[in-house]
Structures are given as structure tokens and as C-alpha cells.
Amino acid sequence: MIKLSQERNKSLLAAHGWSAVFLGLLLYAVILTGVASVFAEELGDWSSPLAEEVKDPFPAGTDRMLRELAGSIDPQYHEEMFVFPRAGDRLYAFFHKHEMDEDGKPRERGVAAEFNPITQTLIEKREGTDEEVDAGDRANALGDFMVELHVRLHLPNPWGLLLTGMLGLAMLVAAITGFVVHRHLIKELFTLRRHKDKLLAARDTHVIAGTWNLPFAFILAFTGSYFSFGSAFGIPAVAMVVFGGDQDKMIETVVGNPPKEDKTPAAMGDLDRMIADVRGRSDAKLNFITVQHWGRADALVTMFMQYPEGKLIGPTYVYGGATGKFRYAKPSLGLQPSTGGALFELMGPLHFGNFAGVFSKAAWFALGFAGAYVTLTGLTLWTLRRREERGWQQLARATVWVGYGLPLALVAAAYGYFPLRAAGEMVHGPMMAAFLLVAALSAAAAWGIRSLTQARRILLGATGAALLLLPALRLLTGGVGWPQAFGAGLHTVLALDIAFALGGALCIASALRRPLAPVISSTPDELDEAVEA
């Protein structure tokens, strides 16, 4: 046992607490952006729909569209191609080759194109590295912004993945220890002392939400850490040890689909017939297609299906690219079903919540929101109980800034997106600028307003107003109106407009629940009101 003076022990405990709050705020940011990312696909459909609903993103004529694109680009990009539906069910294809960048890291370079599946016409074509191609993608930019912030906090690789992986582990530890320390777990599931002291009521609400959320928090933390650490370190480490650093060769071998090399030129088989054949083999919807070695005798076409109804694992089918004939069905990993392969396939649906369409996504959204609420209320209770100390007063303000300023900054990204997209300009830079500007203004409010309650209400009210005005902003920048959206079957546009309006109204109602009376942030009333929120 190390003997420390009382003063040194107090300093170490303070540093320990401060670091815990800092980690908690980062974790809250990852959870909140994850909540927004659950509906990233729907955000793309809402922010950038086509003129009418797409009944089939892989219609008859897909072969012609891809064949014409392949004939118009440099053959060096025929090494690999993937195609799948994106925002508004545009058909997105990327012909590319694999190369190493200046730092020796693998990257892709090629030509990306977007097609309208209804008119079967080319919408846009871009050439460059995968990062350059993504930077020019306006249709999917809003949803991608949320996903990128959640996955790596917009930090460069591998540091962003490393940080989110560590936060996932912290959440995993919190879920496990939370299960252990709640000795009266069943009782705490239903204990809410609404007519008692406000602090006790706030504590009960926090515990109830956290207790019900424990299993979900464990699932999210485990799968999130797996994806972060697997991408940042797992794949490169295995590739370095076993495959001499060749990650593409490793993936081909692990996936169980390594074609025998035959560079003999050969015409591609009819993709439309392959699509029709795979639909006859499975009642699941086609989700994703990859083609290895387009225009060669050893070309392979792999069809990835969505999850069949009632299942968490989707089938995969492989065709000979040159012949167009069915070769075999396989799991995602390897050629034969295995326990490891099944566990790997479960990671995606359990983390993203997309296994039952919008219903499972809504459940994941609600559970993720509860996780964010638990994190924020826990940090609020922890910091305000120690508000007499100067350092903890600053952490309490940081909690208000991140807790209520981050949602406002996320909404602000849409205000940087729509005007620039309507003007045909690049949107990623303006979105980030709007996000950072509003984050800075939120910090000014959190530290500039004496009352934390008032600062919280102002930020919450501003978030509500921004959400309420989002449908109007979308419409004013060239978005489709409600009558046209209803007639064209664009139900996502209608649903998200209503959801944003309702969310905005709820935020404003919460901000106005009590009069904005000036409150000194160090009084007991401030603690009561802050934790009650």
C-alpha cells in the first residue's frame, strides 16, 4: 500500500474523477452519433431522394448500365467492382484497383458512378482515390457525416478507430460492473420515487434507464469494439503476420472466395440473368454485388442478400463472371458454415439494428437514446454533486456543453448541407464548418451564462427550433413538397419531416417546462433543476 498525504490523495482522486468525466463525455458523443447513424440510410433518402420511389434498385437493364460504364473507363480499374443502392435508391457502382499510398497504406483508386434505376441513366461520374470519390459524393453526404463522426470522430486512421474502440471497451466495462453493483436489480427496474426529493427522483430515473439498458449496452459495446479494433489492428496484424502485409489477399482467403488466376480476356456474363437467378434461389432481397476481375476468364460475381424474414444472417451466392452460371452458396466467412462465421455475421445486425427494417431500427434508436440519457444524467449527477470545487464547476459546464451543444451542432450540419448541395457545390467542408461553429457557440453559452439551467434550456430550445425548421430548409433548397412526395411514394421524406417537427416541439416544450428564471449555478435549486432535466 502506497502511503500518500491527504492533499496528494485528494489531488489523485480529483484527477481520477476528471479523467472519468472526460471519457464519459467522449462516450456520450459516440453513443449520440450512433443513435443518429441508425437512420443514416433514411437520412440519405430524405435529404436527396429521386423524383419517385424506386421499386427495384437492381432492375432489368442493370447489366447494360454497368457494361457501358466498364467500357468507358480505363481497363486497369476492372480489377474489382461493387454496386449497391444508396441515397434515394440510386444505384452506386465503383470500378477500382488496389494500390498503396505514399505511407504504404492500402487504398482504392477508380471510377464511381451513380445511376437512376427508374430511367436507367447516368446521374454522375467521379474518378480518383476512394477518399476523393467520397469527398465528391453529395447525395449521401449527410448520412455519411453522422456515420463518420460515430465511427472515428472524424479523426484520421487508425486513431479515430482506436479511440472509439477504447470507448466501446469502457462502455463494456460499465455495463458489466453496472450489472454487478446493482444488487437489487429486479427492484431497481421498477423503483421511481416521483413524489420524493428531486435528487432521489433523478437518481431513480437514471438507474431505471440504465438497468433496463444494460443488455443492450453490452451488445453495442462488444460489437462496436469488435468493429473498431478489428478494422484498426486486427486485419492489418493478421495480414502482416500471415500474408506479408497483403490485406486484400488475406480477405480473399478468409472470405473463402479466392479465384484461380486466369488473365485470359473474356466477355462478362449477363448480370441481369444472374440477378434473376439469385432471386429465384432466395426470398431475401438483393443487397450488394461484387465483381472480381471484370472482363477476365476468372471473373467471379458475388451476390450478398439482405436478412431473410425472421433471421439475422443473410445468404451469399457466387457466380462465374464469364459464364454467368451459378457456382455455389456460401456463408460470409469461408466456404462452409461454422460457429465463428455465424458469430461474425451476427456482429453487423446486432450493432446496426437493421435486421427487421425500420421496426428494429426504431427499437435500436430508442435503446441508444436511453443509453445516451443514462450517460448524460450520470455525468450531470456526478459533476453537480461536487460543484463546490472550482474544477468540478468547469466539468459541470463541459457536461452541459457536450450534452446539449452536441445535438444542436449535429442538426447544424444539415444547415451547412442543404444550401451548398442546392448550389451544386462540395458539401463536406461546409457541413464540418457549420458543426464546429455551432459547437463553439454552444461552448460560449455553457461558459458564458452563469446559470447552468438557463444555459441548458437555451441550447435545448435552440435544438428544438433548428429541428422544427429543417423541413422548411429542405423545401426551400429545392426539396420535394409533401403533395409531390405523397404522390411519388416518397414516404421517408414525409416520415422524417414529421419526426423532426415532433422532436423539435418536444425539445422546445422541455426547454420551456419551467420559467427561465436566473439561477445561481452553485445553489441547491440548480442541482435539483439540472438533474431533473
Side-chain angles (χ1 to χ4, degrees), residues 199-213:
L199 183 58
L200 288 177
R203 183 262 181 195
D204 289 344
T205 305
H206 169 79
V207 171
I208 285 177
T211 305
W212 281 101
N213 203 245

Side-chain angles (χ1 to χ4, degrees), residues 288-310:
F288 195 93
I289 301 174
T290 66
V291 179
Q292 296 166 280
H293 307 309
W294 178 285
R296 284 174 29 174
D298 60 354
L300 276 184
V301 179
T302 306
M303 307 272 192
F304 298 87
M305 314 302 286
Q306 293 182 6
Y307 314 116
E309 186 175 353

Side-chain angles (χ1 to χ4, degrees), residues 442-515:
S442 300
W447 270 275
I449 299 174
R450 188 178 183 184
S451 167
L452 284 180
T453 298
Q454 188 170 359
R456 178 194 67 80
R457 288 176 173 169
I458 289 174
L459 292 175
L460 192 58
T463 302
L467 285 170
L468 272 175
L469 293 174
L470 263 185
L473 174 67
R474 181 191 61 78
L475 186 62
L476 291 174
T477 53
V480 61
W482 277 29
Q484 296 88 346
F486 184 80
L490 301 177
H491 303 124
T492 301
V493 173
L494 301 173
L496 286 192
D497 273 355
I498 294 172
F500 288 135
L502 288 176
L506 287 173
C507 287
I508 292 175
S510 179
L512 298 177
R513 185 167 52 186
R514 292 190 175 190

Side-chain angles (χ1 to χ4, degrees), residues 136-441:
D137 184 1
R138 291 187 291 270
N140 302 279
L142 188 57
D144 287 349
F145 180 88
M146 302 297 173
V147 172
E148 187 70 14
L149 190 58
H150 171 65
V151 171
R152 52 176 61 90
L153 299 174
H154 284 286
L155 298 174
N157 282 330
W159 308 113
L161 289 171
L162 175 61
L163 180 56
T164 55
M166 292 174 61
L167 292 171
L169 287 179
M171 184 175 175
L172 186 63
V173 171
I176 295 173
T177 55
F179 180 82
V180 173
V181 300
H182 289 303
R183 292 172 294 177
H184 307 289
L185 190 63
I186 302 300
K187 178 182 178 181
E188 289 178 335
L189 287 172
F190 307 100
T191 301
L192 182 60
R193 292 165 286 194
R194 285 190 173 276
H195 303 294
K196 302 288 184 179
D197 179 77
K198 293 178 182 178
L199 183 58
L200 288 177
R203 183 262 181 195
D204 289 344
T205 305
H206 169 79
V207 171
I208 285 177
T211 305
W212 281 101
N213 203 245
L214 277 176
F216 180 72
F218 179 87
I219 291 172
L220 276 194
F222 182 82
T223 55
S225 298
Y226 170 83
F227 284 123
S228 291
F229 285 126
S231 300
F233 300 105
I235 292 176
V238 174
M240 184 62 65
V241 173
V242 183
F243 298 93
D246 190 341
Q247 295 189 28
D248 298 323
K249 183 66 176 178
M250 185 213 70
I251 292 174
E252 283 185 351
T253 303
V254 172
V255 169
N257 206 21
K260 295 180 179 179
E261 189 171 69
D262 185 353
K263 297 182 179 180
T264 305
M268 280 293 298
D270 191 332
L271 282 171
D272 287 343
R273 290 185 178 180
M274 297 183 219
I275 293 172
D277 182 83
V278 81
R279 285 172 170 166
R281 296 178 183 275
S282 173
D283 57 355
K285 293 183 179 180
L286 180 59
N287 188 46
F288 195 93
I289 301 174
T290 66
V291 179
Q292 296 166 280
H293 307 309
W294 178 285
R296 284 174 29 174
D298 60 354
L300 276 184
V301 179
T302 306
M303 307 272 192
F304 298 87
M305 314 302 286
Q306 293 182 6
Y307 314 116
E309 186 175 353
K311 296 184 178 180
L312 294 178
I313 298 177
T316 301
Y317 300 93
V318 180
Y319 291 78
T323 64
K325 294 182 179 180
F326 173 75
R327 294 187 59 180
Y328 51 85
K330 62 181 292 296
S332 294
L333 286 183
L335 295 175
Q336 299 297 328
S338 65
T339 302
L343 291 174
F344 170 79
E345 290 187 72
L346 286 173
M347 292 291 180
L350 288 178
H351 188 76
F352 304 122
N354 57 358
F355 52 87
V358 68
F359 298 105
S360 58
K361 286 186 175 183
W364 253 236
F365 179 91
L367 290 167
F369 186 85
Y373 170 83
V374 169
T375 305
L376 179 58
T377 54
L379 290 170
T380 301
L381 286 165
W382 185 260
T383 54
L384 289 180
R385 278 179 174 177
R386 293 157 178 80
R387 67 197 182 282
E388 293 84 1
E389 304 175 33
R390 182 179 298 275
W392 285 100
Q393 291 175 9
Q394 301 307 312
L395 287 175
R397 294 189 177 278
T399 300
V400 170
W401 172 46
V402 176
Y404 298 95
L406 178 59
L408 178 58
L410 290 176
V411 179
Y415 283 79
Y417 170 78
F418 281 107
L420 274 296
R421 186 185 183 282
E425 301 293 334
M426 301 288 280
V427 296
H428 290 273
M431 280 195 300
M432 180 57 73
F435 174 83
L436 294 176
L437 175 61
V438 173
L441 293 175

